[in-house]
């Protein structure tokens, strides 16, 4: 192995392990040690640039990946409740978020509203805020969303004791857009016949952005880019090429199982994947206006009432990334996603895209059954 390959492997390895349980608080703790504040983010519809502009580190809430959530179970029934929120609540009750100064989430669904209620009731952090999220990307929805972003801005300014200026917002947007552009460039490398990074590595790389300051991450990604272009990911098989869709599924174990079963995950439509960084903000107009538009109109979550736009994007990605099949992984009892699942299946079937839907837990569970279903799906594609 050359010195350059060793350097690439070491740098990439650090990034891929950034959101592992042993590492995920490292950068936040360093940030705190320098006298700064850290705010937990409970939804990808929260404009992180507001925090960054105020000198606060946004830190995306990752729940425990352990199977058991005994403390959360005492507070709420595990059946018919969203698994991601259950695992975040478990981490909260264990004291794993004691370093946080605040938490911001949205009313994405009832369970995330309840997370805000628990957090607020426990007085877990000095600052707690819930951001209203409209269900449409209409002009009225955009104006409503902007108004609530202004509310968040005012609340942050009062908490921090510092004005979030227009200049600081544009600086934050510039940093975030640079990171987004780098990530989209890396995802372009997945279009190759032999992708530069595997699907497992891609979800780990995106998750690194949950827990690292974006300026630090930009430096790391820029150093990686030229070397990644000539890299070939180590995959048991390059075909079939799959796209995985779902929501807050940040556990890389699921993607590793798919790829170990003989497929290559070359694209994703995930809250913990492409939806976190897809679409830049730009630099024209009022910063709150452009932030609101970006966060409300990019690839939609199931809360939105424009599912067809999201499915259209998935179909476009299928063509761009030469995808052979789509795997949908809705979280158990994630009702917004489950309600839309039949429509997704119908649309994909209509255009002849093989697809499979498997309901999963937030933590890695029922590995044997999951592998069997994936292998059967892979065989069905190979036989067509």
């Amino acid at each position: 192995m050359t010195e350059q390959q060793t350097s690439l492997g070491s740098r990439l390895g650090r990034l891929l392990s950034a959101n592992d349980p042993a590492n995920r608080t490292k950068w936040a703790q360093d940030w705190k040690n320098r006298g700064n504040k850290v705010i937990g983010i409970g939804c990808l519809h929260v404009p992180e640039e507001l925090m960054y502009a105020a000198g606060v580190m946004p830190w995306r809430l990752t729940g425990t990946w352990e199977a058991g959530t005994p403390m959360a179970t005492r507070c709420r029934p595990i059946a018919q409740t969203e698994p991601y929120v259950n695992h975040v609540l478990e981490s909260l009750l264990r004291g794993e978020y004691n370093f946080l100064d605040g938490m911001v989430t949205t009313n994405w669904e009832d369970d995330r509203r309840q997370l805000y209620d628990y957090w607020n009731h426990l007085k877990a952090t000095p600052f707690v805020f819930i951001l209203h999220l409209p269900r449409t990307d209409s002009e009225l929805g955009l104006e409503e969303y902007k108004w609530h972003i202004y509310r968040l801005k005012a609340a942050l300014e009062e908490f921090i004791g510092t004005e979030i200026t227009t200049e600081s917002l544009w600086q934050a947007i510039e940093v975030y857009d640079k990171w987004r552009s780098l990530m989209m460039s890396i995802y372009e490398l997945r279009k190759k016949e032999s992708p530069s990074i595997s699907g497992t590595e891609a979800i780990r790389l995106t998750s690194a952005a949950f827990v690292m300051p974006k300026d630090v991450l930009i430096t790391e990604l820029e150093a990686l880019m030229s070397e990644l272009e000539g890299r070939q990911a180590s995959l048991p098989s390059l075909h079939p090429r799959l796209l995985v869709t779902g929501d807050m599924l940040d556990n890389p174990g699921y993607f590793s199982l798919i790829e170990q079963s003989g497929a290559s995950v070359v694209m994703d439509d995930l809250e913990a994947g492409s939806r976190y960084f897809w679409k830049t903000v730009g630099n024209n107009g009022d910063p709150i206006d452009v932030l609101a538009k970006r966060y409300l109109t990019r690839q939609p979550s199931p809360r939105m009432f424009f599912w067809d736009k999201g499915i259209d994007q998935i179909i476009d990605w299928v063509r761009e990334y030469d995808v052979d099949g789509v795997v949908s992984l809705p979280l158990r009892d994630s009702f917004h996603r489950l309600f839309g699942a039949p429509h997704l299946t119908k649309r994909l079937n209509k255009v002849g895209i093989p697809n499979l839907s498997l309901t999963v837990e937030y933590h890695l569970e029922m590995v044997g059954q999951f592998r069997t279903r994936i292998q059967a799906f892979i065989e069905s594609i190979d036989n067509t």
Side-chain angles (χ1 to χ4, degrees):
M1 182 178 291
T2 67
E3 184 177 341
Q4 184 182 30
Q5 289 172 323
T6 302
S7 173
L8 170 63
S10 176
R11 186 182 298 276
L12 183 59
R14 288 197 301 272
L15 291 180
L16 297 183
S17 63
N19 196 37
D20 287 353
N23 300 327
R24 64 176 54 133
T25 66
K26 172 186 172 183
W27 288 271
Q29 296 286 5
D30 289 345
W31 190 270
K32 290 277 292 187
N33 291 339
R34 296 198 296 271
N36 302 312
K37 288 180 167 50
V38 180
I39 288 182
I41 306 297
C43 179
L44 86 166
H45 289 283
V46 175
E48 294 185 13
E49 288 90 338
L50 286 175
M51 272 66 74
Y52 193 91
V56 174
M57 178 180 169
W59 188 85
R60 186 65 197 272
L61 298 173
T62 297
T64 171
W65 287 345
E66 296 177 16
T69 55
M71 300 182 76
T73 304
R74 297 174 192 169
C75 300
R76 56 193 259 126
I78 298 305
Q80 297 187 335
T81 54
E82 213 270 354
Y84 165 66
V85 173
N86 294 335
H87 284 256
V88 168
L89 180 59
E90 181 71 18
S91 290
L92 173 66
L93 295 173
R94 289 182 186 181
E96 294 172 5
Y97 301 146
N98 285 351
F99 65 93
L100 293 176
D101 298 286
M103 190 277 283
V104 181
T105 190
T106 70
N107 58 347
W108 195 93
E109 60 182 355
D110 286 342
D111 287 293
R112 299 201 195 192
R113 283 194 291 266
Q114 289 175 7
L115 178 63
Y116 165 81
D117 290 337
Y118 286 119
W119 206 290
N120 201 33
H121 174 74
L122 293 169
K123 295 180 172 53
T125 53
F127 182 80
V128 191
F129 192 94
I130 186 165
L131 180 70
H132 173 66
L133 178 64
R135 292 185 180 274
T136 72
D137 60 351
S138 64
E139 285 300 318
L140 181 60
L142 184 61
E143 288 301 315
E144 181 183 19
Y145 188 44
K146 280 165 49 180
W147 187 80
H148 287 282
I149 291 176
Y150 276 113
R151 287 183 58 242
L152 173 58
K153 177 177 177 289
L156 283 168
E157 289 172 331
E158 181 179 357
F159 172 62
I160 298 163
T162 302
E163 180 187 2
I164 300 173
T165 65
T166 298
E167 181 182 3
S168 65
L169 266 178
W170 280 124
Q171 290 172 349
I173 289 170
E174 182 180 3
V175 169
Y176 267 71
D177 270 1
K178 189 170 186 178
W179 159 68
R180 292 181 181 114
S181 296
L182 283 166
M183 286 301 302
M184 285 188 281
S185 296
I186 290 172
Y187 265 49
E188 281 287 312
L189 301 177
R190 303 175 72 185
K191 291 181 178 180
K192 298 192 301 183
E193 172 66 19
S194 181
S196 296
I197 59 171
S198 68
T200 308
E201 291 171 332
I203 206 69
R204 284 182 173 274
L205 198 57
T206 304
S207 297
F210 287 179
V211 298
M212 294 178 65
K214 295 299 188 292
D215 54 340
V216 174
L217 186 58
I218 286 169
T219 301
E220 294 292 317
L221 292 178
E222 286 179 330
L224 275 178
M225 273 304 300
S226 60
E227 298 175 32
L228 278 179
E229 290 174 358
R231 180 181 187 259
Q232 293 184 353
S234 178
L235 287 162
S237 176
L238 296 177
H239 295 277
R241 295 164 63 90
L242 302 180
L243 180 150
V244 174
T245 182
D247 295 305
M248 189 55 186
L249 192 68
D250 55 18
N251 191 321
Y254 284 106
F255 303 88
S256 180
L257 276 173
I258 292 172
E259 294 186 319
Q260 288 171 9
S261 298
S264 173
V265 179
V266 297
M267 188 51 184
D268 63 71
D269 168 43
L270 295 163
E271 185 174 343
S274 67
R275 292 211 305 270
Y276 185 40
F277 60 82
W278 213 262
K279 189 174 183 180
T280 56
V281 173
N283 56 11
N284 294 317
D286 176 80
I288 298 295
D289 287 350
V290 294
L291 277 173
K293 188 172 182 180
R294 184 265 166 189
Y295 277 87
L296 193 61
T297 63
R298 52 134 181 79
Q299 180 68 351
S301 69
R303 172 184 171 84
M304 305 307 186
F305 286 159
F306 43 102
W307 291 344
D308 277 319
K309 289 184 181 179
I311 298 174
D312 287 343
Q313 178 64 80
I314 290 173
I315 293 171
D316 286 344
W317 280 333
V318 166
R319 293 165 180 155
E320 289 175 24
Y321 287 79
D322 195 20
V323 168
D324 299 303
V326 172
V327 177
S328 177
L329 300 179
L331 291 178
R332 174 191 54 78
D333 296 324
S334 182
F335 296 113
H336 285 78
R337 172 64 60 177
L338 293 169
F339 289 157
H343 185 58
L344 172 65
T345 299
K346 182 179 179 180
R347 285 285 312 276
L348 295 177
N349 287 342
K350 187 175 181 179
V351 294
I353 299 172
N355 59 92
L356 172 70
S357 182
L358 291 175
T359 303
V360 297
E361 291 285 348
Y362 177 71
H363 62 281
L364 188 62
E365 189 177 71
M366 301 180 72
V367 170
Q369 181 179 347
F370 183 86
R371 182 184 288 115
T372 298
R373 294 288 303 278
I374 291 293
Q375 288 173 341
F377 181 57
I378 290 170
E379 290 175 11
S380 72
I381 295 175
D382 289 340
N383 291 333
T384 55

